Amino acid sequence: QVQLVESGGGLVQAGGSLRLSCTGSGRTFSTYAMGWFRQAPGKEREFVADISWNGGSTHYADSVKGRSFISRDNAKNTVYLQMNSLKPEDTAVYYCAGALIQTYSDYGVDYWGQGTQVTVSS
């Protein structure tokens, strides 16, 4: 199946920035909508952002809107999440996700990455 690998997580101070990357295997990456989710300790996984197959449409959770920006480079099989003005409440494991169009239309996910830890210190 498709393999998604996240990178770019780490420890940053509040107010700082971080760019997460997710690289996918396979030759059909460009046909997938891509997204980012996060899961903080003791909480359910929550939606952060997504981007359509051609990058023409994006959505953001209210909690990150205006601070985070999703983009993709299909030639590199990579999706990015640029996070600015980070807050301690952004601390979580961030997961990359991919969905074919029907799954995406159903608000579902076909493939998950293993996650990358983002820790924001106060």
Side-chain angles (χ1 to χ4, degrees):
Q1 296 184 5
V2 172
Q3 182 179 358
L4 303 174
V5 180
E6 302 96 334
S7 63
L11 174 64
V12 298
Q13 291 184 316
S17 297
L18 208 59
R19 189 179 76 162
L20 307 183
S21 298
C22 171
T23 299
S25 65
R27 60 188 69 182
T28 59
F29 179 85
S30 64
T31 68
Y32 288 80
M34 300 296 296
W36 289 93
F37 293 74
R38 67 186 183 186
Q39 188 167 20
K43 294 190 175 183
E44 296 293 320
R45 192 170 298 185
E46 65 177 357
F47 169 79
V48 177
D50 66 34
I51 186 167
S52 61
W53 68 273
N54 62 355
S57 180
T58 60
H59 302 91
Y60 298 92
D62 288 342
S63 59
V64 303
K65 192 173 298 182
R67 300 188 295 121
S68 296
F69 305 91
I70 190 170
S71 62
R72 67 189 298 162
D73 185 342
N74 287 343
K76 295 181 178 180
N77 279 9
T78 300
V79 63
Y80 305 94
L81 182 67
Q82 176 69 44
M83 299 189 292
N84 302 317
S85 301
L86 285 163
K87 306 173 181 179
E89 50 262 47
D90 293 319
T91 295
V93 177
Y94 283 71
Y95 296 91
C96 178
L100 288 167
I101 187 167
Q102 186 59 58
T103 305
Y104 180 68
S105 297
D106 293 336
Y107 303 97
V109 173
D110 288 309
Y111 303 102
W112 292 99
Q114 293 301 117
T116 185
Q117 177 72 48
V118 171
T119 302
V120 184
S121 62
S122 59

